[in-house]
Amino acid sequence: MQREIMDLARGSLAQVESSFYSAFHGGFFQKLFPDFNALNRCNQGRILHLEGDALTHTGKVFAHASQSVSLFNEEDFFTLLVAALVHDICKPQTRQEKVDGKVTFFGHAERAANQCPEFARNVGMDSLQAEKLQWLVARHMHAHDVKKCNWGPKKRLEFYSASAFPLMRELQAADAVATWMNLDGSNHGEVLRDWFVADERVLRGESEFGD
């Protein structure tokens, strides 16, 4: 199963996105990940997720994550791809729409993380890959807390020091750029990735500049 998913991630952004939809319409993901089909037509609201429903978002995250192939060994790259596919899989179960029209998905990361051991078995991951997958999915919303400086220096440094953080950095960048682009045309994913790097350097005493 690893080879099939890796093959979907070959090519340009447009090619990978096209492969993603072909696999979805062929039922490939639904066989591996229960409830994957529910991402289709799961409305995310019109405040942040202007790209479309949760399936559209997942396809874009997967495509952007695929462009990180040169950064990792095969095992870690595969873990990143699977995380991109399942990080929001529980959005349909946790979706709530407020009176003002704002849509929330509180708890979707934790719910998806609880299913990760099953997902890992379904795609043939080893124990280390499964551990990293669960860590990535459980914490993929933490970047928002880090960027807002809701965490103190010690907690942020622990986050950056985790063995799977390089994968998290790329997952977060892919998630960000798949959600929206800055009005000036700059790449929101690149901005987030650069912020992580700069903040870690500050915390490790490698730079004199603060947050």
Side-chain angles (χ1 to χ4, degrees):
M1 202 54 64
Q2 176 171 332
R3 182 50 50 198
E4 288 89 337
I5 292 176
M6 298 277 278
D7 285 345
L8 292 175
R10 300 184 188 279
S12 67
L13 281 172
Q15 289 170 330
V16 174
E17 228 178 315
S18 177
S19 296
F20 170 87
Y21 282 111
S22 294
F24 174 78
H25 291 301
F28 176 73
F29 300 126
Q30 295 88 324
K31 295 175 183 177
L32 297 173
F33 312 122
D35 301 323
F36 197 89
N37 198 60
L39 293 171
N40 191 23
R41 297 188 179 88
C42 177
N43 189 321
Q44 301 182 103
R46 300 293 294 173
I47 297 177
L48 289 177
H49 287 282
L50 303 181
E51 73 279 8
D53 64 19
L55 180 68
T56 300
H57 174 70
T58 298
K60 291 183 180 297
V61 175
F62 180 76
H64 283 285
S66 76
Q67 305 305 294
S68 302
V69 59
S70 64
L71 301 179
F72 304 108
N73 61 37
E74 188 169 286
E75 290 76 15
D76 277 348
F77 180 59
F78 178 59
T79 303
L80 174 63
L81 294 177
V82 177
L85 289 171
V86 304
H87 74 290
D88 280 346
I89 198 167
C90 288
K91 273 189 169 180
Q93 302 170 22
T94 57
R95 184 184 185 278
Q96 292 186 339
E97 186 167 349
K98 297 185 177 180
V99 177
D100 61 3
K102 183 179 180 181
V103 176
T104 63
F105 304 97
F106 293 122
H108 77 277
E110 294 80 5
R111 282 202 185 195
N114 289 338
Q115 295 185 48
C116 279
E118 177 185 356
F119 298 156
R121 288 192 298 271
N122 291 349
V123 299
M125 285 182 161
D126 61 30
S127 58
L128 180 58
Q129 288 175 304
E131 181 180 335
K132 288 182 177 180
L133 176 66
Q134 190 164 30
W135 188 88
L136 289 167
V137 174
R139 293 166 175 79
H140 80 267
M141 295 295 291
H142 286 189
H144 303 288
D145 293 321
V146 175
K147 187 68 171 62
K148 293 175 183 176
C149 294
N150 291 345
W151 289 0
K154 182 179 179 181
K155 190 171 183 180
R156 296 198 327 264
L157 192 55
E158 288 176 351
F159 187 54
Y160 298 145
S161 300
S163 62
F165 181 75
L167 295 171
M168 177 67 81
R169 187 173 56 230
E170 297 309 311
L171 177 62
Q172 288 297 320
D175 198 8
V177 75
T179 301
W180 57 277
M181 297 290 287
N182 289 345
L183 294 178
D184 64 2
S186 61
N187 186 322
H188 182 52
E190 292 292 345
V191 170
L192 182 61
R193 186 189 291 114
D194 291 346
W195 192 93
F196 280 143
V197 172
D199 189 46
E200 182 177 6
R201 288 187 62 199
V202 169
L203 294 175
R204 294 188 186 281
E206 299 171 4
S207 171
E208 63 182 8
F209 299 107
D211 295 333

Short mmCIF file of all heavy atoms in Angstrom, two decimals, residues 11-68:
data_model
loop_
_atom_site.label_atom_id
_atom_site.label_comp_id
_atom_site.label_asym_id
_atom_site.label_seq_id
_atom_site.Cartn_x
_atom_site.Cartn_y
_atom_site.Cartn_z
N GLY A 11 5.02 13.93 -9.20
CA GLY A 11 4.68 14.93 -10.20
C GLY A 11 4.48 16.31 -9.63
O GLY A 11 4.77 16.58 -8.46
N SER A 12 3.97 17.20 -10.46
CA SER A 12 3.72 18.58 -10.06
C SER A 12 2.51 18.65 -9.14
O SER A 12 1.78 17.68 -8.95
CB SER A 12 3.47 19.44 -11.30
OG SER A 12 2.26 19.04 -11.92
N LEU A 13 2.28 19.84 -8.59
CA LEU A 13 1.10 20.04 -7.73
C LEU A 13 -0.17 19.64 -8.46
O LEU A 13 -1.01 18.91 -7.91
CB LEU A 13 1.01 21.51 -7.31
CG LEU A 13 1.91 21.99 -6.18
CD1 LEU A 13 1.80 23.51 -6.04
CD2 LEU A 13 1.52 21.31 -4.87
N ALA A 14 -0.33 20.12 -9.68
CA ALA A 14 -1.54 19.83 -10.44
C ALA A 14 -1.67 18.34 -10.73
O ALA A 14 -2.77 17.77 -10.65
CB ALA A 14 -1.54 20.61 -11.75
N GLN A 15 -0.57 17.68 -11.04
CA GLN A 15 -0.61 16.25 -11.33
C GLN A 15 -0.97 15.44 -10.09
O GLN A 15 -1.77 14.50 -10.17
CB GLN A 15 0.75 15.81 -11.88
CG GLN A 15 1.05 16.31 -13.27
CD GLN A 15 2.48 16.05 -13.70
OE1 GLN A 15 3.40 16.03 -12.87
NE2 GLN A 15 2.70 15.87 -14.99
N VAL A 16 -0.40 15.81 -8.96
CA VAL A 16 -0.69 15.08 -7.72
C VAL A 16 -2.14 15.29 -7.30
O VAL A 16 -2.82 14.34 -6.88
CB VAL A 16 0.27 15.51 -6.59
CG1 VAL A 16 -0.12 14.85 -5.27
CG2 VAL A 16 1.71 15.14 -6.95
N GLU A 17 -2.62 16.52 -7.44
CA GLU A 17 -4.02 16.78 -7.09
C GLU A 17 -4.96 15.97 -7.98
O GLU A 17 -5.96 15.42 -7.53
CB GLU A 17 -4.32 18.27 -7.22
CG GLU A 17 -5.05 18.81 -6.01
CD GLU A 17 -5.33 20.30 -6.07
OE1 GLU A 17 -4.44 21.07 -6.42
OE2 GLU A 17 -6.48 20.67 -5.73
N SER A 18 -4.63 15.88 -9.25
CA SER A 18 -5.44 15.09 -10.18
C SER A 18 -5.41 13.61 -9.79
O SER A 18 -6.45 12.93 -9.80
CB SER A 18 -4.93 15.27 -11.61
OG SER A 18 -5.65 14.47 -12.52
N SER A 19 -4.24 13.11 -9.42
CA SER A 19 -4.11 11.71 -9.00
C SER A 19 -4.91 11.46 -7.73
O SER A 19 -5.53 10.40 -7.56
CB SER A 19 -2.64 11.36 -8.76
OG SER A 19 -1.89 11.46 -9.95
N PHE A 20 -4.90 12.44 -6.82
CA PHE A 20 -5.66 12.33 -5.58
C PHE A 20 -7.15 12.13 -5.88
O PHE A 20 -7.80 11.23 -5.32
CB PHE A 20 -5.45 13.58 -4.73
CG PHE A 20 -6.36 13.69 -3.54
CD1 PHE A 20 -6.03 13.10 -2.33
CD2 PHE A 20 -7.56 14.39 -3.62
CE1 PHE A 20 -6.88 13.20 -1.23
CE2 PHE A 20 -8.41 14.50 -2.53
CZ PHE A 20 -8.07 13.90 -1.33
N TYR A 21 -7.70 12.95 -6.76
CA TYR A 21 -9.13 12.85 -7.07
C TYR A 21 -9.46 11.57 -7.81
O TYR A 21 -10.52 10.96 -7.59
CB TYR A 21 -9.59 14.07 -7.87
CG TYR A 21 -9.79 15.29 -7.00
CD1 TYR A 21 -8.94 16.38 -7.09
CD2 TYR A 21 -10.80 15.33 -6.05
CE1 TYR A 21 -9.10 17.49 -6.28
CE2 TYR A 21 -10.98 16.43 -5.23
CZ TYR A 21 -10.13 17.51 -5.35
OH TYR A 21 -10.30 18.60 -4.53
N SER A 22 -8.56 11.13 -8.67
CA SER A 22 -8.80 9.86 -9.37
C SER A 22 -8.85 8.71 -8.37
O SER A 22 -9.71 7.82 -8.47
CB SER A 22 -7.68 9.61 -10.39
OG SER A 22 -7.73 10.56 -11.42
N ALA A 23 -7.93 8.75 -7.39
CA ALA A 23 -7.92 7.71 -6.37
C ALA A 23 -9.17 7.77 -5.50
O ALA A 23 -9.76 6.74 -5.15
CB ALA A 23 -6.67 7.85 -5.49
N PHE A 24 -9.59 8.98 -5.17
CA PHE A 24 -10.80 9.14 -4.35
C PHE A 24 -12.03 8.59 -5.08
O PHE A 24 -12.80 7.81 -4.51
CB PHE A 24 -11.03 10.60 -4.00
CG PHE A 24 -12.34 10.85 -3.29
CD1 PHE A 24 -12.48 10.54 -1.95
CD2 PHE A 24 -13.43 11.36 -3.98
CE1 PHE A 24 -13.70 10.74 -1.30
CE2 PHE A 24 -14.65 11.57 -3.34
CZ PHE A 24 -14.78 11.25 -1.99
N HIS A 25 -12.22 8.99 -6.31
CA HIS A 25 -13.39 8.55 -7.06
C HIS A 25 -13.34 7.06 -7.37
O HIS A 25 -14.39 6.44 -7.63
CB HIS A 25 -13.54 9.38 -8.34
CG HIS A 25 -13.91 10.81 -8.08
ND1 HIS A 25 -15.06 11.17 -7.42
CD2 HIS A 25 -13.25 11.97 -8.37
CE1 HIS A 25 -15.12 12.48 -7.32
NE2 HIS A 25 -14.05 13.00 -7.88
N GLY A 26 -12.14 6.48 -7.31
CA GLY A 26 -12.02 5.04 -7.50
C GLY A 26 -12.18 4.25 -6.21
O GLY A 26 -12.11 3.02 -6.22
N GLY A 27 -12.38 4.97 -5.10
CA GLY A 27 -12.61 4.31 -3.81
C GLY A 27 -11.35 3.86 -3.08
O GLY A 27 -11.43 3.15 -2.08
N PHE A 28 -10.18 4.32 -3.55
CA PHE A 28 -8.91 3.87 -2.96
C PHE A 28 -8.78 4.28 -1.49
O PHE A 28 -8.48 3.45 -0.62
CB PHE A 28 -7.75 4.44 -3.78
CG PHE A 28 -6.39 4.13 -3.22
CD1 PHE A 28 -5.87 2.86 -3.31
CD2 PHE A 28 -5.63 5.12 -2.59
CE1 PHE A 28 -4.60 2.56 -2.80
CE2 PHE A 28 -4.38 4.84 -2.07
CZ PHE A 28 -3.86 3.56 -2.18
N PHE A 29 -8.99 5.54 -1.19
CA PHE A 29 -8.82 6.03 0.18
C PHE A 29 -9.87 5.47 1.12
O PHE A 29 -9.59 5.20 2.29
CB PHE A 29 -8.86 7.56 0.21
CG PHE A 29 -7.80 8.23 -0.61
CD1 PHE A 29 -8.13 9.17 -1.57
CD2 PHE A 29 -6.46 7.91 -0.43
CE1 PHE A 29 -7.16 9.79 -2.33
CE2 PHE A 29 -5.47 8.52 -1.17
CZ PHE A 29 -5.82 9.47 -2.13
N GLN A 30 -11.06 5.29 0.61
CA GLN A 30 -12.16 4.82 1.45
C GLN A 30 -11.89 3.41 1.97
O GLN A 30 -12.37 3.04 3.05
CB GLN A 30 -13.47 4.85 0.66
CG GLN A 30 -13.93 6.26 0.28
CD GLN A 30 -13.37 6.75 -1.04
OE1 GLN A 30 -12.23 6.45 -1.39
NE2 GLN A 30 -14.18 7.50 -1.79
N LYS A 31 -11.12 2.61 1.23
CA LYS A 31 -10.78 1.26 1.67
C LYS A 31 -9.77 1.27 2.81
O LYS A 31 -9.72 0.35 3.63
CB LYS A 31 -10.22 0.45 0.50
CG LYS A 31 -11.23 0.21 -0.62
CD LYS A 31 -10.57 -0.49 -1.80
CE LYS A 31 -11.54 -0.66 -2.95
NZ LYS A 31 -10.89 -1.28 -4.14
N LEU A 32 -8.96 2.31 2.86
CA LEU A 32 -7.90 2.40 3.86
C LEU A 32 -8.33 3.13 5.12
O LEU A 32 -7.90 2.79 6.23
CB LEU A 32 -6.68 3.12 3.25
CG LEU A 32 -5.99 2.46 2.07
CD1 LEU A 32 -4.93 3.40 1.50
CD2 LEU A 32 -5.37 1.14 2.49
N PHE A 33 -9.12 4.18 4.93
CA PHE A 33 -9.46 5.08 6.03
C PHE A 33 -10.97 5.20 6.18
O PHE A 33 -11.63 5.85 5.37
CB PHE A 33 -8.86 6.46 5.77
CG PHE A 33 -7.42 6.44 5.34
CD1 PHE A 33 -7.03 7.01 4.13
CD2 PHE A 33 -6.45 5.84 6.13
CE1 PHE A 33 -5.70 7.00 3.74
CE2 PHE A 33 -5.11 5.82 5.74
CZ PHE A 33 -4.75 6.41 4.54
N PRO A 34 -11.54 4.59 7.21
CA PRO A 34 -12.98 4.70 7.44
C PRO A 34 -13.40 6.17 7.52
O PRO A 34 -12.69 7.01 8.05
CB PRO A 34 -13.16 4.00 8.79
CG PRO A 34 -12.01 3.05 8.88
CD PRO A 34 -10.87 3.74 8.22
N ASP A 35 -14.53 6.46 6.96
CA ASP A 35 -15.13 7.81 7.00
C ASP A 35 -14.45 8.81 6.07
O ASP A 35 -14.79 10.00 6.09
CB ASP A 35 -15.15 8.39 8.43
CG ASP A 35 -15.93 7.52 9.40
OD1 ASP A 35 -16.96 6.95 8.97
OD2 ASP A 35 -15.51 7.40 10.55
N PHE A 36 -13.49 8.38 5.24
CA PHE A 36 -12.83 9.32 4.34
C PHE A 36 -13.82 9.95 3.38
O PHE A 36 -13.71 11.13 3.03
CB PHE A 36 -11.73 8.60 3.54
CG PHE A 36 -10.74 9.53 2.89
CD1 PHE A 36 -9.61 9.94 3.56
CD2 PHE A 36 -10.94 9.99 1.59
CE1 PHE A 36 -8.70 10.81 2.97
CE2 PHE A 36 -10.04 10.85 0.99
CZ PHE A 36 -8.91 11.27 1.68
N ASN A 37 -14.81 9.18 2.98
CA ASN A 37 -15.80 9.69 2.02
C ASN A 37 -16.57 10.89 2.55
O ASN A 37 -17.03 11.74 1.79
CB ASN A 37 -16.78 8.57 1.65
CG ASN A 37 -17.53 8.87 0.36
OD1 ASN A 37 -16.91 9.04 -0.69
ND2 ASN A 37 -18.84 8.96 0.44
N ALA A 38 -16.69 10.98 3.90
CA ALA A 38 -17.47 12.07 4.49
C ALA A 38 -16.79 13.44 4.31
O ALA A 38 -17.44 14.48 4.49
CB ALA A 38 -17.70 11.80 5.98
N LEU A 39 -15.51 13.45 3.97
CA LEU A 39 -14.83 14.72 3.70
C LEU A 39 -15.44 15.43 2.50
O LEU A 39 -15.44 16.66 2.43
CB LEU A 39 -13.33 14.48 3.45
CG LEU A 39 -12.50 13.99 4.64
CD1 LEU A 39 -11.10 13.60 4.16
CD2 LEU A 39 -12.42 15.06 5.71
N ASN A 40 -15.95 14.63 1.58
CA ASN A 40 -16.59 15.20 0.39
C ASN A 40 -17.85 15.97 0.79
O ASN A 40 -18.72 15.44 1.47
CB ASN A 40 -16.94 14.08 -0.59
CG ASN A 40 -17.35 14.60 -1.95
OD1 ASN A 40 -16.99 15.71 -2.33
ND2 ASN A 40 -18.10 13.79 -2.69
N ARG A 41 -17.91 17.23 0.39
CA ARG A 41 -19.03 18.13 0.67
C ARG A 41 -19.14 18.51 2.15
O ARG A 41 -20.20 18.97 2.59
CB ARG A 41 -20.35 17.53 0.17
CG ARG A 41 -20.40 17.33 -1.34
CD ARG A 41 -21.79 16.93 -1.80
NE ARG A 41 -21.83 16.76 -3.25
CZ ARG A 41 -21.55 15.62 -3.88
NH1 ARG A 41 -21.20 14.56 -3.17
NH2 ARG A 41 -21.59 15.55 -5.19
N CYS A 42 -18.08 18.32 2.92
CA CYS A 42 -18.05 18.82 4.30
C CYS A 42 -17.68 20.30 4.25
O CYS A 42 -16.50 20.65 4.11
CB CYS A 42 -17.06 18.03 5.16
SG CYS A 42 -16.91 18.65 6.86
N ASN A 43 -18.68 21.14 4.35
CA ASN A 43 -18.50 22.59 4.23
C ASN A 43 -17.66 23.13 5.39
O ASN A 43 -18.00 22.91 6.55
CB ASN A 43 -19.87 23.27 4.20
CG ASN A 43 -19.81 24.75 3.86
OD1 ASN A 43 -18.91 25.44 4.31
ND2 ASN A 43 -20.76 25.22 3.09
N GLN A 44 -16.61 23.85 5.07
CA GLN A 44 -15.71 24.39 6.10
C GLN A 44 -15.97 25.86 6.42
O GLN A 44 -15.24 26.46 7.20
CB GLN A 44 -14.25 24.24 5.66
CG GLN A 44 -13.84 22.80 5.39
CD GLN A 44 -12.38 22.71 5.01
OE1 GLN A 44 -11.53 22.33 5.81
NE2 GLN A 44 -12.08 23.07 3.78
N GLY A 45 -17.00 26.44 5.83
CA GLY A 45 -17.27 27.85 6.04
C GLY A 45 -16.53 28.71 5.03
O GLY A 45 -15.75 28.20 4.22
N ARG A 46 -16.74 30.02 5.12
CA ARG A 46 -16.17 30.93 4.12
C ARG A 46 -15.28 31.99 4.75
O ARG A 46 -15.06 33.06 4.16
CB ARG A 46 -17.29 31.61 3.33
CG ARG A 46 -18.21 30.65 2.58
CD ARG A 46 -17.48 29.95 1.46
NE ARG A 46 -17.06 30.87 0.42
CZ ARG A 46 -16.29 30.54 -0.62
NH1 ARG A 46 -15.82 29.31 -0.71
NH2 ARG A 46 -15.96 31.44 -1.53
N ILE A 47 -14.76 31.71 5.95
CA ILE A 47 -13.89 32.69 6.60
C ILE A 47 -12.42 32.41 6.29
O ILE A 47 -11.69 33.28 5.81
CB ILE A 47 -14.13 32.70 8.12
CG1 ILE A 47 -15.57 33.15 8.41
CG2 ILE A 47 -13.13 33.62 8.82
CD1 ILE A 47 -15.93 33.13 9.88
N LEU A 48 -11.98 31.19 6.52
CA LEU A 48 -10.60 30.82 6.23
C LEU A 48 -10.49 29.89 5.04
O LEU A 48 -9.60 30.03 4.21
CB LEU A 48 -9.96 30.15 7.46
CG LEU A 48 -9.66 31.04 8.65
CD1 LEU A 48 -9.10 30.20 9.80
CD2 LEU A 48 -8.66 32.13 8.27
N HIS A 49 -11.37 28.91 4.97
CA HIS A 49 -11.24 27.86 3.97
C HIS A 49 -11.96 28.21 2.67
O HIS A 49 -12.95 27.58 2.28
CB HIS A 49 -11.75 26.54 4.53
CG HIS A 49 -10.83 25.94 5.54
ND1 HIS A 49 -9.68 25.27 5.20
CD2 HIS A 49 -10.87 25.95 6.90
CE1 HIS A 49 -9.07 24.85 6.30
NE2 HIS A 49 -9.76 25.27 7.34
N LEU A 50 -11.41 29.19 1.98
CA LEU A 50 -12.01 29.61 0.72
C LEU A 50 -11.74 28.62 -0.40
O LEU A 50 -12.32 28.72 -1.48
CB LEU A 50 -11.47 30.99 0.32
CG LEU A 50 -11.68 32.11 1.36
CD1 LEU A 50 -11.12 33.42 0.83
CD2 LEU A 50 -13.16 32.27 1.69
N GLU A 51 -10.86 27.63 -0.13
CA GLU A 51 -10.52 26.66 -1.17
C GLU A 51 -11.65 25.67 -1.44
O GLU A 51 -11.71 25.06 -2.51
CB GLU A 51 -9.25 25.88 -0.79
CG GLU A 51 -9.39 24.85 0.32
CD GLU A 51 -9.36 25.43 1.71
OE1 GLU A 51 -9.36 26.68 1.83
OE2 GLU A 51 -9.33 24.66 2.69
N GLY A 52 -12.58 25.49 -0.48
CA GLY A 52 -13.68 24.57 -0.71
C GLY A 52 -13.91 23.64 0.47
O GLY A 52 -13.57 23.95 1.61
N ASP A 53 -14.50 22.49 0.20
CA ASP A 53 -14.86 21.57 1.28
C ASP A 53 -13.62 20.85 1.82
O ASP A 53 -12.49 21.06 1.36
CB ASP A 53 -15.94 20.59 0.82
CG ASP A 53 -15.49 19.68 -0.32
OD1 ASP A 53 -14.27 19.52 -0.53
OD2 ASP A 53 -16.37 19.10 -0.99
N ALA A 54 -13.84 19.98 2.81
CA ALA A 54 -12.73 19.31 3.48
C ALA A 54 -11.98 18.36 2.55
O ALA A 54 -10.77 18.15 2.71
CB ALA A 54 -13.25 18.55 4.71
N LEU A 55 -12.67 17.78 1.58
CA LEU A 55 -11.99 16.92 0.62
C LEU A 55 -11.06 17.74 -0.26
O LEU A 55 -9.92 17.34 -0.52
CB LEU A 55 -13.01 16.17 -0.25
CG LEU A 55 -12.38 15.23 -1.29
CD1 LEU A 55 -11.71 14.05 -0.60
CD2 LEU A 55 -13.45 14.74 -2.28
N THR A 56 -11.54 18.89 -0.73
CA THR A 56 -10.71 19.77 -1.54
C THR A 56 -9.46 20.19 -0.77
O THR A 56 -8.34 20.17 -1.29
CB THR A 56 -11.50 21.03 -1.96
OG1 THR A 56 -12.64 20.62 -2.71
CG2 THR A 56 -10.64 21.97 -2.79
N HIS A 57 -9.68 20.55 0.50
CA HIS A 57 -8.55 20.96 1.35
C HIS A 57 -7.55 19.81 1.50
O HIS A 57 -6.34 20.01 1.36
CB HIS A 57 -9.08 21.39 2.72
CG HIS A 57 -7.99 21.69 3.70
ND1 HIS A 57 -7.17 22.79 3.60
CD2 HIS A 57 -7.58 21.01 4.81
CE1 HIS A 57 -6.31 22.79 4.60
NE2 HIS A 57 -6.54 21.72 5.35
N THR A 58 -8.04 18.61 1.77
CA THR A 58 -7.16 17.46 1.96
C THR A 58 -6.35 17.18 0.70
O THR A 58 -5.15 16.88 0.77
CB THR A 58 -7.98 16.23 2.35
OG1 THR A 58 -8.65 16.48 3.60
CG2 THR A 58 -7.10 15.00 2.51
N GLY A 59 -7.00 17.27 -0.45
CA GLY A 59 -6.28 17.05 -1.70
C GLY A 59 -5.16 18.05 -1.90
O GLY A 59 -4.07 17.71 -2.38
N LYS A 60 -5.42 19.31 -1.55
CA LYS A 60 -4.39 20.34 -1.69
C LYS A 60 -3.26 20.15 -0.69
O LYS A 60 -2.08 20.35 -1.01
CB LYS A 60 -5.02 21.73 -1.54
CG LYS A 60 -5.94 22.11 -2.70
CD LYS A 60 -6.48 23.52 -2.54
CE LYS A 60 -7.39 23.89 -3.72
NZ LYS A 60 -6.65 23.89 -5.01
N VAL A 61 -3.59 19.77 0.54
CA VAL A 61 -2.55 19.50 1.53
C VAL A 61 -1.67 18.35 1.06
O VAL A 61 -0.43 18.41 1.13
CB VAL A 61 -3.15 19.18 2.92
CG1 VAL A 61 -2.05 18.79 3.90
CG2 VAL A 61 -3.93 20.38 3.45
N PHE A 62 -2.28 17.29 0.57
CA PHE A 62 -1.54 16.14 0.06
C PHE A 62 -0.62 16.56 -1.08
O PHE A 62 0.56 16.16 -1.13
CB PHE A 62 -2.52 15.06 -0.39
CG PHE A 62 -1.86 13.81 -0.92
CD1 PHE A 62 -1.29 12.90 -0.05
CD2 PHE A 62 -1.85 13.54 -2.28
CE1 PHE A 62 -0.69 11.73 -0.54
CE2 PHE A 62 -1.25 12.38 -2.78
CZ PHE A 62 -0.67 11.48 -1.90
N ALA A 63 -1.14 17.36 -2.00
CA ALA A 63 -0.34 17.79 -3.15
C ALA A 63 0.85 18.65 -2.71
O ALA A 63 1.97 18.46 -3.18
CB ALA A 63 -1.22 18.56 -4.13
N HIS A 64 0.61 19.58 -1.81
CA HIS A 64 1.71 20.44 -1.34
C HIS A 64 2.72 19.63 -0.53
O HIS A 64 3.93 19.86 -0.66
CB HIS A 64 1.16 21.60 -0.53
CG HIS A 64 0.57 22.69 -1.37
ND1 HIS A 64 1.35 23.58 -2.09
CD2 HIS A 64 -0.71 23.03 -1.66
CE1 HIS A 64 0.58 24.42 -2.75
NE2 HIS A 64 -0.68 24.11 -2.51
N ALA A 65 2.24 18.70 0.29
CA ALA A 65 3.16 17.85 1.05
C ALA A 65 4.03 17.01 0.12
O ALA A 65 5.20 16.74 0.42
CB ALA A 65 2.39 16.96 2.01
N SER A 66 3.48 16.61 -1.01
CA SER A 66 4.22 15.78 -1.95
C SER A 66 5.47 16.47 -2.49
O SER A 66 6.41 15.80 -2.93
CB SER A 66 3.31 15.38 -3.12
OG SER A 66 3.12 16.46 -4.03
N GLN A 67 5.47 17.79 -2.48
CA GLN A 67 6.61 18.52 -3.01
C GLN A 67 7.80 18.53 -2.05
O GLN A 67 8.86 19.08 -2.38
CB GLN A 67 6.18 19.95 -3.34
CG GLN A 67 4.98 20.04 -4.28
CD GLN A 67 5.17 19.28 -5.59
OE1 GLN A 67 6.01 19.64 -6.41
NE2 GLN A 67 4.38 18.23 -5.79
N SER A 68 7.66 17.92 -0.88
CA SER A 68 8.74 17.84 0.11
C SER A 68 9.55 16.56 -0.03
O SER A 68 10.33 16.22 0.86
CB SER A 68 8.17 17.93 1.53
OG SER A 68 7.44 19.11 1.73
#
